[in-house]
Amino acid sequence: MNHSKCIQDFNRALSIDPNLFEAFLARACIYGIQERYAKAVLNCNKAVSINLKSVRGFLYRGALKFYLKIYKQAAEDLTQAIELDQACTLGFYNR
């Protein structure tokens, strides 16, 4: 997978519709794969602001904050994911 091409595709999609939740979350995943965690968190922030009930957004942002060693905020995001979905085993496991 060509990550730089993926980023360009997501950028193009967001220029057409700046409220595409999935595009922000997918771009965050690519940045996470590239170990650009701060950029990934920024994209998760935007995704979560678009969809405040996104369990995936909170889970991924929590994991990214863990990699950035922001443990308290990571736990808060994982707790938020658990509050949104009581059966979120990934939230419990990662917290």
Side-chain angles (χ1 to χ4, degrees):
M1 181 195 264
N2 185 347
H3 295 156
S4 62
K5 177 136 175 50
C6 292
I7 297 292
Q8 291 172 359
D9 291 341
F10 293 131
N11 291 342
R12 225 175 284 126
L14 289 167
S15 70
I16 295 168
D17 184 356
N19 291 316
L20 286 174
F21 162 78
E22 292 291 339
F24 280 108
L25 203 57
R27 193 165 67 174
C29 290
I30 297 298
Y31 284 135
I33 289 168
Q34 295 174 342
E35 298 181 5
R36 298 169 70 188
Y37 302 123
K39 282 193 107 156
V41 167
L42 292 174
N43 278 272
C44 282
N45 289 345
K46 185 63 176 167
V48 167
S49 73
I50 293 170
N51 183 356
L52 297 173
K53 301 215 182 256
S54 169
V55 175
R56 287 183 304 142
F58 284 107
L59 279 174
Y60 197 57
R61 190 170 72 176
L64 292 165
K65 287 180 179 178
F66 175 81
Y67 282 113
L68 289 170
K69 298 181 175 146
I70 310 171
Y71 302 119
K72 183 177 180 190
Q73 290 180 14
E76 289 170 359
D77 282 340
L78 295 169
T79 299
Q80 183 63 35
I82 293 166
E83 288 175 3
L84 290 170
D85 180 5
Q86 298 295 317
C88 182
T89 55
L90 285 173
F92 284 108
Y93 177 78
N94 288 302
R95 189 176 63 173

